[in-house]
């Protein structure tokens, strides 16, 4: 439905100067999806992905006041797997250290915010970048990357990107006509092709011979920016890492310039994070713009065909990030405290996995039904996927229920 165009009178003068009114067209009062797509066409760079004509596996009538990609990130935001992220480990398991350290949900929200900002600066589709960002970690098992490594070791194959896809295409049950969330193919491809230093592509179902969209690449780097910045802050917040540990790192010297000794600790940590994110975002935006111009990218087809990453760090920043990543690995991720806490998580995952396979009656009815029709290898994956859907605290509670032993994570109350 379109309303007749109206005009409003706008005062174009400064205060104290005689009023001069100019008519400004208001446009349609209600912006339907078609109008929003027109706005998108005018606002996006030629290489940004348009939501007009986005494809879904299952045909459905969707509300007319949002674009397809807006529908997608809205659906992710409201699904059960997204809410579970609050009680899943980012680096420190749930309940350890300060209440202010990140969990998998707060990390995901930070990734989304950063991705939207970079996409906006480069003229890309913010809604697509947001949808991929919000969904990128849905498939993470409890106890972070250590939990993923444990599932991989005991069942032979587990990749959280693949499991994120499985969640949004099969596991979530929110609609009577189809399984999953029925997300647009562009979003599914972005989830599948998510890749960072710690994430690897697990399958190639969507456009296997083409590179990802710029929006998907932006989500990848937003993930890295988020965890690098908040791992500095969380390492300091938990007192596992000290500021002195960073003094020899070039990136720290870049962000330390605005810090003063008389700052309150909370303000100091916030300034560190803000400076770190700002420096990395600024570098990504400028370097990516340079690469796009140098490659002569005219449209989406050029992006898809490119064999070089069109989104990335400058040479200097890449060197600094490698050094920073190495320090965080040595001083934080592989610290005795983190290894001890996450090692308990690995023990819980392995014990649950073996017991479920041995005694399927301990599983919910739906999972038992899956086991009854599965072959031997498929049985292992059914159990692995069930565990991957657990939060840290659910896994700990189920371990206590089955084994009669309450697990107290080392370091609780640091």
């Amino acid at each position: 439905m379109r309303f007749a165009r109206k005009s409003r009178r706008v005062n174009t003068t400064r205060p104290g100067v005689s009023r001069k009114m100019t008519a400004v067209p208001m446009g349609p009062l209600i912006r339907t999806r078609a109008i929003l797509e027109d706005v998108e066409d005018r606002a996006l760079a030629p290489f940004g992905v348009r939501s007009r004509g986005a494809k879904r596996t299952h045909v459905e009538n969707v509300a007319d006041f949002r674009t397809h990609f807006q529908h997608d990130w809205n659906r992710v935001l409201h699904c059960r797997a997204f809410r579970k992220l609050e009680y899943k480990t980012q680096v420190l398991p749930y309940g350890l250290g300060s209440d202010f350290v990140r969990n998998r949900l707060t990390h995901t929200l930070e990734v989304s915010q950063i991705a939207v900002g970079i996409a906006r600066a480069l003229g890309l589709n913010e809604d697509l970048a947001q949808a991929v960002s919000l969904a990128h970690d849905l498939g993470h098992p409890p106890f972070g990357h250590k939990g993923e490594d444990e599932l991989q070791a005991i069942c032979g194959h587990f990749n959280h990107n693949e499991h994120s896809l499985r969640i949004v295409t099969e596991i979530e049950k929110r609609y009577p006509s189809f399984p999953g969330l029925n997300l647009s193919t562009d979003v599914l491809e972005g989830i599948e092709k998510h890749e960072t230093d710690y994430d690897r592509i697990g399958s190639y179902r969507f456009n296997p011979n083409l590179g990802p969209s710029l929006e998907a690449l932006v989500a990848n780097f937003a993930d890295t920016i988020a965890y690098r910045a908040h791992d500095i802050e969380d390492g300091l917040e938990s007192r596992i890492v000290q500021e002195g540990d960073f003094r020899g790192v070039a990136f720290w010297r870049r962000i330390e310039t605005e810090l003063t000794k008389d700052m309150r600790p909370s303000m100091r940590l916030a300034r560190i994070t803000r400076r770190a994110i700002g420096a990395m975002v600024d570098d990504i935006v400028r370097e990516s713009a340079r690469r796009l111009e140098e490659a002569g990218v005219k449209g989406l087809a050029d992006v898809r065909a490119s064999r070089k990453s069109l989104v990335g760090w400058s040479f200097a920043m890449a060197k600094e990030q490698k050094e920073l990543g190495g320090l965080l690995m040595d001083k934080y991720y592989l610290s005795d405290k983190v290894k001890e806490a996450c090692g308990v998580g690995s023990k819980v995952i392995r014990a649950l996995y073996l017991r479920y396979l041995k005694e399927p009656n301990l599983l919910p009815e739906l999972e038992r039904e899956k086991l009854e029709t599965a072959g031997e290898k498929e049985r292992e994956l059914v159990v692995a996927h069930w565990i991957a859907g657990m939060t840290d605290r659910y896994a700990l509670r189920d371990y206590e229920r089955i084994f009669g032993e309450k697990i107290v994570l080392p370091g609780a109350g640091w």
Side-chain angles (χ1 to χ4, degrees):
M1 178 178 181
R2 291 175 180 262
F3 285 85
R5 286 183 176 271
K6 297 182 180 179
S7 295
R8 58 188 174 98
R9 309 294 289 182
V10 178
N11 184 0
T12 60
T13 61
R14 298 190 302 274
V17 182
S18 60
R19 295 168 63 85
K20 181 178 179 181
M21 307 300 286
T22 304
V24 178
M26 287 284 287
L29 186 59
I30 296 179
R31 292 192 168 191
T32 62
R33 182 166 63 249
I35 293 172
L36 291 173
E37 289 169 348
D38 288 342
V39 171
E40 213 177 58
D41 274 338
R42 294 193 298 271
L44 296 184
F47 37 73
V49 179
R50 272 61 177 169
S51 61
R52 191 192 305 274
K55 300 291 189 296
R56 300 180 189 274
T57 302
H58 306 280
V59 177
E60 57 173 317
N61 294 320
V62 292
D64 197 34
F65 305 123
R66 288 172 285 172
T67 66
H68 285 288
F69 298 152
Q70 287 172 338
H71 272 284
D72 290 333
W73 75 254
N74 291 174
R75 288 181 173 189
V76 172
L77 191 70
H78 288 279
C79 76
R80 292 171 64 90
F82 186 80
R83 295 195 294 278
K84 288 182 181 180
L85 296 177
E86 181 177 5
Y87 297 105
K88 288 193 175 187
T89 293
Q90 179 58 27
V91 175
L92 292 174
Y94 170 75
L96 292 191
S98 164
D99 287 341
F100 302 110
V101 298
R102 271 70 171 187
N103 55 51
R104 190 65 60 176
L105 177 61
T106 57
H107 162 70
T108 297
L109 294 174
E110 291 179 16
V111 173
S112 174
Q113 178 265 316
I114 293 167
V116 167
I118 296 172
R120 184 176 299 145
L122 292 172
L124 305 178
N125 196 309
E126 300 167 27
D127 292 311
L128 175 55
Q130 186 165 18
V132 175
S133 298
L134 290 176
H136 84 280
D137 267 354
L138 292 179
H140 245 297
F143 306 109
H145 285 280
K146 191 67 175 175
E148 180 168 9
D149 291 344
E150 190 63 34
L151 282 180
Q152 166 68 25
I154 56 183
C155 78
H157 179 78
F158 181 84
N159 178 282
H160 81 263
N161 285 0
E162 287 183 2
H163 197 58
S164 294
L165 272 181
R166 191 174 294 110
I167 286 170
V168 299
T169 58
E170 301 174 22
I171 295 176
E172 284 285 334
K173 308 293 183 186
R174 299 182 64 84
Y175 304 94
S177 302
F178 50 79
L181 303 180
N182 198 29
L183 302 180
S184 301
T185 302
D186 296 281
V187 176
L188 297 177
E189 181 185 12
I191 296 170
E192 179 183 51
K193 293 179 180 177
H194 181 70
E195 190 167 23
T196 70
D197 291 344
Y198 305 104
D199 301 315
R200 289 292 175 261
I201 296 172
S203 63
Y204 291 90
R205 290 163 52 187
F206 301 96
N207 298 319
N209 299 317
L210 298 177
S213 65
L214 292 175
E215 287 83 355
L217 291 173
V218 162
N220 292 350
F221 276 91
D223 188 12
T224 298
I225 291 170
Y227 69 66
R228 285 276 159 77
H230 66 51
D231 287 349
I232 295 173
E233 182 177 345
D234 287 353
L236 295 171
E237 175 81 41
S238 63
R239 299 182 182 179
I240 294 174
V241 186
Q242 308 300 319
E243 283 195 22
D245 295 324
F246 291 105
R247 292 272 154 71
V249 174
F251 185 74
W252 178 264
R253 294 194 292 274
R254 182 196 288 259
I255 65 176
E256 191 183 23
T257 55
E258 290 186 13
L259 301 179
T260 59
K261 292 182 179 179
D262 59 347
M263 278 184 175
R264 293 176 59 183
S266 60
M267 187 179 297
R268 188 176 180 84
L269 287 173
R271 179 68 62 87
I272 289 169
T273 302
R274 186 162 62 250
R275 288 277 296 165
I277 292 174
M280 288 185 279
V281 167
D282 183 81
D283 186 86
I284 282 286
V285 168
R286 296 182 187 281
E287 173 63 16
S288 300
R290 187 195 68 78
R291 293 185 188 188
L292 288 164
E293 185 175 11
E294 182 179 76
V297 174
K298 303 299 183 185
L300 187 57
D302 295 334
V303 172
R304 296 291 203 174
S306 177
R307 295 304 172 193
K308 296 181 179 179
S309 179
L310 297 170
V311 175
W313 310 116
S314 65
F315 179 80
M317 182 61 80
K319 185 177 179 181
E320 290 183 19
Q321 288 303 311
K322 183 176 181 180
E323 182 184 33
L324 174 63
L327 184 139
L328 286 169
M329 179 63 72
D330 293 339
K331 297 290 186 178
Y332 188 37
Y333 311 139
L334 296 181
S335 68
D336 290 341
K337 287 184 176 180
V338 172
K339 285 197 297 185
E340 186 180 8
C342 291
V344 171
S346 297
K347 169 191 170 182
V348 168
I349 286 176
R350 180 174 287 270
L352 289 175
Y353 176 85
L354 295 174
R355 182 59 68 87
Y356 289 145
L357 279 176
K358 185 178 180 180
E359 300 180 41
N361 61 299
L362 294 171
L363 290 166
E365 182 180 356
L366 181 59
E367 303 308 312
R368 294 200 302 270
E369 291 174 358
K370 292 178 184 176
L371 285 177
E372 289 172 1
T373 59
E376 182 176 350
K377 190 61 181 176
E378 288 72 24
R379 284 169 56 85
E380 295 176 359
L381 290 176
V382 167
V383 173
H385 296 162
W386 169 246
I387 292 175
M390 294 179 175
T391 62
D392 292 15
R393 65 178 186 173
Y394 184 100
L396 292 171
R397 284 202 300 254
D398 222 35
Y399 181 92
E400 183 179 355
R401 173 181 71 89
I402 293 171
F403 295 97
E405 175 189 355
K406 184 176 179 62
I407 295 288
V408 178
L409 292 174
W414 287 340

